[in-house]
Amino acid sequence: MARYTLEELASKISGAKIENCADPKKIQVESVSPVNPGVTNSISFLASKKMLNEAKKTASSIVLTTSDFAKELEVPCLVVDKPDLILAQVLDLIYPPHKFENKVEENAYVHPKAKIGKNCYIGNFASVAEYAEIGDNVILEDGVRIGRGAKVGEGSHVGPNNVIHHGVIIGKRFRSFGNCTVGGDGFRFVFANGKHNKIPQVGTVIVGDDVEMGSNSAIDRGGLENTIIGDGCKFDNLVHIGHNCVLGKNVVIAGYTGVAGSTTIGDNCTIGGGCGIADHIGIPSGTIVGGGTSVRNTLPKPDIYVGWDYGLTFPEFQKLRVNIKNVVNFQKWARRIKAIEAKLGLTTEE
């Protein structure tokens, strides 16, 4: 961890201002903590009115917040327009990320016909196959495998034990964590003569710029066409994208979600955790799919969809839940009505 005075911290963040502090040189921070309860010599952040009362009681030495919220506080404030976004800069300053050397470890393997850019790190037991191309300022952590003819764009950071299969193209500033696989075979078999016969997958995977993949994610290569991941997509851990899928820009997918083959997802979609997306369907740009939802048909319009396999919007699903509850309770109501009729001596035709 690094230690900064409030004055030093403000000088490193463009546009930041100091409020509620007579002498910012005397206020020091060496950690970042939640606003409730806060910690001495730490900085907390406040971006929502929900936490304003907690911030008024914080033990933290500094609060990173907006000008409006700073007026409500007495604690020294580092004022910015978007504190939740600037928090990333503060975290990098106080907890500097590890800096990898410009080197190839002795037990790594780089094929003589591979191309390695400037200022790269290739870790222990990593390997780069023939005709592969690694851009400038790329980090390949321990155990990474870069396949024949694969390309990794500049500024990328490939996590430990990742496998980038042959012919895969990775864009700039790619980031992945442990044990991801990009470009493994798509899942296609034809049952004949009493067995499942494998169909070769001859497409590849093309990944855009600024894509991030969480640990143990897997992206299948295309069968005849390519699997495409658009710029700015972000995947949580354990996300699977099937062969021939096409994802637009800025698609966010939470953990344990699988997207079956040949499905198209538009730009700026958000898909919750534990979802199952069927094959050969479309999800329009701007759609939100709630966690645990199963989508089996092409969705007709951008909306919030939730449920099992109904493809319902959120209001439609709420109505369905009420109807299901009514059906479940109907038998109890029927028994009560019959008991009342019996006490009154009424008879009804069935």
Side-chain angles (χ1 to χ4, degrees):
M1 292 185 293
R3 178 186 287 265
Y4 292 93
T5 66
L6 177 53
E7 183 180 66
E8 291 170 337
L9 202 58
S11 70
K12 293 182 177 295
I13 298 172
S14 178
K17 299 178 181 179
I18 296 170
E19 294 190 16
N20 305 337
C21 184
D23 191 353
K25 294 180 180 179
K26 292 185 177 180
I27 306 296
Q28 293 192 340
V29 291
E30 57 185 10
S31 66
V32 180
S33 67
V35 71
N36 179 25
V39 178
T40 302
N41 292 332
S42 76
I43 182 170
S44 300
F45 88 104
L46 172 66
S48 170
K49 191 174 182 179
K50 293 179 181 179
M51 296 299 293
L52 180 57
N53 288 334
E54 302 296 337
K56 290 178 180 179
K57 300 178 289 185
T58 188
S60 295
S61 299
I62 304 170
V63 173
L64 173 69
T65 190
T66 64
S67 179
D68 288 341
F69 287 141
K71 295 174 183 176
E72 303 284 334
L73 303 174
E74 295 181 359
V75 64
C77 292
L78 184 62
V79 173
V80 295
D81 290 335
K82 295 183 178 180
D84 45 356
L85 182 63
I86 298 301
L87 177 63
Q89 294 183 37
V90 173
L91 288 168
D92 279 345
L93 287 168
I94 296 178
Y95 305 95
H98 174 70
K99 291 185 178 180
F100 289 84
E101 298 179 66
N102 175 17
K103 66 180 293 190
V104 177
E105 297 288 358
E106 291 184 4
N107 49 19
Y109 172 75
V110 176
H111 194 281
K113 293 183 179 179
K115 294 182 180 180
I116 308 297
K118 299 176 183 177
N119 194 33
C120 291
Y121 173 79
I122 300 178
N124 294 292
F125 303 105
S127 66
V128 182
E130 61 181 339
Y131 306 119
E133 297 182 16
I134 308 300
D136 296 343
N137 304 305
V138 168
I139 296 167
L140 305 180
E141 291 201 48
D142 296 348
V144 168
R145 299 288 186 269
I146 306 296
R148 184 181 66 260
K151 297 180 180 180
V152 179
E154 64 182 60
S156 294
H157 185 155
V158 182
N161 299 315
N162 277 211
V163 178
I164 310 297
H165 284 270
H166 65 279
V168 169
I169 299 174
I170 303 287
K172 299 175 183 177
R173 298 174 297 278
F174 174 77
R175 181 69 171 100
S176 64
F177 294 84
N179 306 304
C180 293
T181 300
V182 183
D185 269 6
F187 190 70
R188 188 180 181 193
F189 296 84
V190 173
F191 189 80
N193 302 319
K195 66 176 184 178
H196 295 285
N197 297 272
K198 183 176 179 62
I199 305 299
Q201 305 290 284
V202 298
T204 189
V205 179
I206 299 176
V207 178
D209 297 338
D210 301 301
V211 171
E212 181 168 314
M213 296 182 183
S215 299
N216 298 295
S217 291
I219 316 298
D220 289 347
R221 71 190 313 110
L224 298 177
E225 299 177 323
N226 298 326
T227 301
I228 298 176
I229 309 298
D231 294 347
C233 288
K234 311 295 182 185
F235 302 154
D236 194 2
N237 303 328
L238 295 160
V239 168
H240 174 239
I241 308 295
H243 62 180
N244 301 332
C245 285
V246 177
L247 274 62
K249 297 179 180 179
N250 303 317
V251 175
V252 175
I253 303 180
Y256 290 98
T257 285
V259 182
S262 300
T263 283
T264 298
I265 300 177
D267 297 342
N268 304 309
C269 289
T270 299
I271 299 176
C275 292
I277 311 297
D279 59 293
H280 293 84
I281 67 170
I283 295 178
S285 295
T287 294
I288 297 174
V289 179
T293 297
S294 176
V295 181
R296 296 184 178 274
N297 300 293
T298 292
L299 300 178
K301 62 178 181 177
D303 211 318
I304 301 174
Y305 291 87
V306 294
W308 300 289
D309 60 354
Y310 301 110
L312 302 177
T313 66
F314 184 72
E316 291 169 343
F317 179 66
Q318 292 292 71
K319 291 179 182 178
L320 178 66
R321 290 179 62 191
V322 171
N323 289 335
I324 290 173
K325 185 176 180 180
N326 289 341
V327 170
V328 170
N329 290 331
F330 179 76
Q331 294 297 328
K332 290 190 290 186
W333 299 337
R335 287 194 295 269
R336 291 173 61 188
I337 292 169
K338 288 181 179 180
I340 293 171
E341 289 177 338
K343 286 183 181 180
L344 296 174
L346 300 176
T347 59
T348 58
E349 294 184 4
E350 295 293 337

